[in-house]
Amino acid sequence: MPAFPTAARAALGDTQLRRNLAHATHTIRDKRARVVAEVEDWEDLRLAGAGVKEAALRDLATHLETLEESLVRAGATVHWARDAEEACAIVASVAKSHGADEVVKVKSMATQEIGLNEALEAEGIAAWETDLAELIVQLGEDLPSHILVPAIHRNRAEVREIFQRRMGVVGRPAPGDLTDEPSVLAGAAREHLREKFLRAKVGVSGANFAVADTGTLVVVESEGNGRMCLTLPEVLVSVVGIEKVVATWDDLDPMLRLLPRSSTGERMNPYTSTWSGVTPGDGPQEVHVVLLDNGRTRALADDVGRQALRCIRCSACLNVCPVYERVGGHAYGSVYPGPIGAILNPLLNGVSDEQTASLPYASSLCGACFEVCPVRIDIPSVLVDQRAQVVDSHRGDRVPKAEAVAMKAAAWTFSDARRLGLAERASGLAGRVIGRFSRTTLPGGRTAAGRLPGPAAGWTGARDLPAPPRESFREWWARTDGGTHDDQDGSGTATKGGRS
Amino acid sequence: MSARDDILGRVRAALADVSPAVSVPAAPRVPDRGDLVALFDERVADYRAVVTRCTSDGLQEAVAAALGPARAVVPPGLGLEVAGAVVDDGLSSAELDAIDAVVTRAAVGIAETGTIVLDHQPDQGRRAISLVPDLHVCIVDASQVVADVPDAIALLDPARPLTWISGPSATSDIELDRVEGVHGPRTLHVLLVT
Ligand code: SF4
């Protein structure tokens, strides 16, 4: 995966994508704003939600031990997985122990994060995504681009084409008279997947919340595919990130009020399922829970970044982010896109590779993401802290980055008045040069340069560089004796600029 | 070292200098909204579910009217005669798939969000019966309606499996056009007994 700026440039050129995204993000965020405005004490609810998650995180080891105990008491088998490989191996071995060569899946960020579908495929087990959008993505051999509406980059004509071309290859074909009406397409998905639900022996899920004191897992969804996966198979395996824990049953209260309103802009999502282990005579009679680390303890150790683990994956921050709105989810190169992805990926994986290290810069730091976050994650502060970590990680480089060189030079210049004066004169000269050659004029009449060569290209690739003023403040002060004897605007005429 | 001990060790190390959280702020209550049953009625209907009010004497008739010609499955403890219905005695998923409708009762109704919660006692049956048939007729007694989510949570037993239902199954995955019903029942008909 290329670094964010490269991937973003390609996405920006895709006008269809930008149109779909703008429509989606605006629609969802308007809906959200309406139902959030209905709640008089929204801010207090946010504080309560943030408190529940923060308290659980700060005493995580205790809560995890309690969760394990309650799950086992309720008849579930608990597994622990340090990383993606271990987690995938556990799911594969459960499926194999039942002779299953397929599993049905309810959409889950954790299973996407660990690449479960690919891992199962390598073991000869087909993993069927059952969420409509995930089905579109899977059949289209594509990647999800949004947490909530993963196929938002596809329009109805594309969906119809994908269904017609691919459904028959993996199961029940799409009906011959398939139109591109959303209701007809949803109907085709219903028929196609029902066959799989009815015969599946093993279901795979994630969980939105895991309640420590009762051993209860919670899955929030809309379509009923979640209920199908959680109820009909004989065996259920849930892959749960260790940060999903809340301490008590009552703690679900602020969470179940915050999540649907922040996410889909509904007072409540159509279906929420909760279950604690095995219920005799109802649902799967063998229940497994895989508690997953995969970088979460790394994030937990980061004092500023720890709060990102409060995230309940509502996707509100994606829909308000001016950067996400224009480039979409693929450019982030991970299953977690948008503002939360920009901080979560570096927290989980470190900033050692170029792609991850580019993510904390994929933001305008406008703060909109913090405003909407139901659990009050201060994403901008974490971004700034991570930028510092990225810079720090390059301190020992043999060839320093252009930025580091520039900052060193600036420090040297600013620390001495004479050097600063010289630099300002040079800048005035540059201003005149840029002014002469530039084609762009900024509002107010100031000229600006487009794309510059050399190290500045990274900056000017997406921005105009305003030409520096021809006369610096110090020069003006010296020329006019502090503004006492000449009020002529030196920058306009440059008649007295002959000193350089 | 086992993965379990390894992960718990890492969690402890990561939090070595972190003090456990101060107390969690209490979640606010919704203000008094007056007639809860009326609010529940309105909010359930808002999800494009059908809501019909009836008296307990008229319930049997109301169920028959809601079902029309549809053949229904009922849980063993429904406590109501439903003409032509099959009583669930552990029907297979395929058998359920051949049935059009289901009639159940509920555990709690939440006015603020228009949500019905099933806790799958004998009057509501297994989770599968309220999932596979395409029409769900759900009987909610006015006395079961509470104001908001925390009231429901306080009443419900986490040891039981729970299904929270807010309107029929729905998706907005294709161009954000809302479509009722993908996998769960496409029609939810609530009989509100007042
Ligand atoms: S960071 Fe906050 S707003 Fe963004 S997805 Fe997570 S919980 Fe939602």
Side-chain angles (χ1 to χ4, degrees), chain A residues 331-349:
Chain A
Y332 294 81
S334 109
V335 298
Y336 303 107
I340 183 60
I343 60 172
L344 202 54
N345 297 310
L347 282 165
L348 296 175
N349 307 313

Side-chain angles (χ1 to χ4, degrees), chain A residues 147 311-318 340 369 372-375 377 379:
Chain A
I147 295 179
C311 176
I312 55 174
R313 318 276 188 255
C314 72
S315 75
C317 58
L318 277 61
I340 183 60
C369 47
V372 296
C373 178
V375 285
I377 301 171
I379 298 177

